[in-house]
């Protein structure tokens, strides 16, 4: 099978996983070894990169401080390390979202997160349209753009109801512009999740698995398409590392539960 046919096939599979009534869970990865561990764990159906984690592993602050070439180079290594469909967190697109997505497709990526950063809605919608046009031009009609609205991330000091209304308005606009799914990160309540699913439709909403978010089984019942974990998976790994260091300093050592995963 040609490389392009493989990409098209993986894109179709990733879209199918989002459309299925079963909740898709993706524990985010940031390099080849994390990708291999997650991909090799039973139950994993797709991978997603975490831009924050990739940037941190290379010494950059989050927020498009890592050069796009470095980000895409790491994403390419991850894609090459697995047969699973891979979605890439591309922040806000590094100045040219459509071109960045085109380049990501070129290394085998079949989905992407893109932040709206609460830019004017018409501008954010135009970016979604341009990205989906770029994907179609590359022959990947089923590209899974996970159009992210930062309504809750950037609206913490605003009335919660107004923030939810913004998320609904922007999410609907992104779907109308061609995005298959909408990402609304934040510590959402069950009522807020239910409102978003009612407004966007079942299997159109994706969330981040923050502490306090409703349990996965309940999110599946509500009709959420996907839950990912962003930088939290790397933080779990780094917490384990720090706990090892602390235990060593107390005179302990490596716990018996450690697995030879590399």
């Amino acid at each position: 099978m040609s490389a392009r046919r493989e990409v098209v096939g993986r894109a179709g599979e990733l879209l199918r996983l989002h459309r299925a009534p079963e909740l898709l869970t993706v524990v985010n990865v940031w390099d080849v070894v994390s990708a291999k561990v997650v991909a090799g764990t039973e139950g994993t159906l797709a991978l997603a990169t975490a831009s924050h984690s990739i940037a941190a592993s290379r010494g950059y602050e989050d927020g498009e401080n890592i050069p796009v070439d470095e980000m895409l180079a790491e994403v390419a290594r991850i894609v090459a390390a697995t047969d699973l469909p891979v979605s890439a967190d591309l922040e806000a697109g590094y100045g040219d979202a459509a071109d960045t997505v085109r380049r990501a497709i070129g290394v085998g990526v079949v989905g992407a997160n893109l932040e709206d950063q609460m830019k004017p809605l018409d501008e954010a919608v135009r970016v979604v349209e341009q990205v989906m046009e770029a994907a179609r031009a590359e022959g990947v009609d089923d590209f899974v753009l996970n159009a992210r609205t930062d309504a809750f991330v950037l609206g913490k000091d605003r009335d919660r109801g107004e923030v939810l209304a913004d998320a609904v308005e922007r999410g609907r606009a992104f779907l109308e512009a061609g995005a298959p799914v909408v990402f609304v990160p934040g510590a959402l309540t069950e009522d807020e999740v239910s409102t978003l699913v009612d407004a966007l439709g079942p299997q159109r909403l994706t969330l981040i698995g923050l502490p306090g978010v409703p349990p996965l089984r309940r999110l599946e019942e509500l009709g959420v398409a996907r839950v990912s974990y962003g930088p939290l998976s790397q933080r779990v790994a780094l917490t384990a590392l720090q706990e090892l260091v602390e235990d060593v300093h107390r005179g302990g050592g490596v716990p018996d539960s450690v697995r030879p995963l590399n």
Side-chain angles (χ1 to χ4, degrees):
M1 183 183 294
S2 70
R4 183 46 52 95
R5 286 180 63 191
E6 285 186 4
V7 170
V8 170
R10 290 180 186 180
E13 174 63 8
L14 186 61
L15 183 60
R16 185 194 69 77
L17 290 170
H18 283 79
R19 291 287 182 258
E22 296 80 16
L23 180 69
L24 174 62
T25 55
V26 287
V27 176
N28 298 71
V29 301
W30 58 93
D31 60 10
V32 168
V33 69
S34 62
K36 286 185 173 181
V37 168
V38 173
T41 302
E42 185 176 357
T44 299
L45 301 175
L47 296 182
T49 70
S51 62
H52 186 140
S53 301
I54 291 175
S57 70
R58 289 174 168 261
Y60 297 99
E61 293 292 326
D62 190 31
E64 298 195 341
N65 288 294
I66 184 173
V68 64
D69 289 348
E70 284 195 47
M71 176 62 74
L72 291 175
E74 194 61 54
V75 170
R77 294 185 186 97
I78 290 168
V79 171
T82 180
D83 292 328
L84 297 176
V86 177
S87 178
D89 183 349
L90 299 176
E91 304 199 60
Y94 304 94
D96 188 338
D99 185 61
T100 299
V101 164
R102 180 189 61 77
R103 293 177 62 188
I105 290 172
V107 301
V109 167
V110 296
N113 287 11
L114 282 173
E115 305 164 2
D116 69 353
Q117 300 181 339
M118 295 305 286
K119 295 172 182 173
L121 184 53
D122 59 345
E123 181 181 338
V125 166
R126 190 160 56 250
V127 169
V128 171
E129 292 172 341
Q130 291 169 345
V131 164
M132 295 309 295
E133 287 172 5
R136 287 191 294 271
E138 294 298 309
V140 188
D141 293 355
D142 290 337
F143 188 80
V144 183
L145 175 60
N146 194 26
R148 166 175 159 167
T149 177
D150 291 307
F152 283 93
V153 173
L154 299 179
K156 295 176 181 177
D157 297 328
R158 298 176 56 217
D159 176 81
R160 192 83 175 183
E162 292 178 359
V163 171
L164 180 59
D166 278 350
V168 166
E169 179 185 24
R170 297 174 84 87
R172 282 175 168 167
F174 296 160
L175 292 176
E176 290 173 3
V181 283
V182 173
F183 182 28
V184 185
L188 305 185
T189 66
E190 182 171 321
D191 285 346
E192 289 167 339
V193 173
S194 182
T195 296
L196 285 164
V197 172
D198 287 345
L200 304 178
Q203 281 72 56
R204 296 297 185 274
L205 174 67
T206 80
L207 301 173
I208 187 168
L210 295 171
V213 169
L216 296 178
R217 181 173 298 177
R218 182 58 181 147
L219 294 178
E220 181 174 282
E221 292 171 350
L222 290 170
V224 173
R226 159 178 153 187
V227 174
S228 56
Y229 292 85
L232 296 171
S233 50
Q234 188 183 58
R235 290 174 184 172
V236 168
L238 292 174
T239 296
L241 175 61
Q242 187 175 65
E243 288 175 346
L244 168 63
V245 176
E246 291 168 347
D247 195 49
V248 167
H249 291 338
R250 288 192 296 264
V254 177
D256 294 337
S257 61
V258 168
R259 302 171 184 177
L261 295 173
N262 63 348

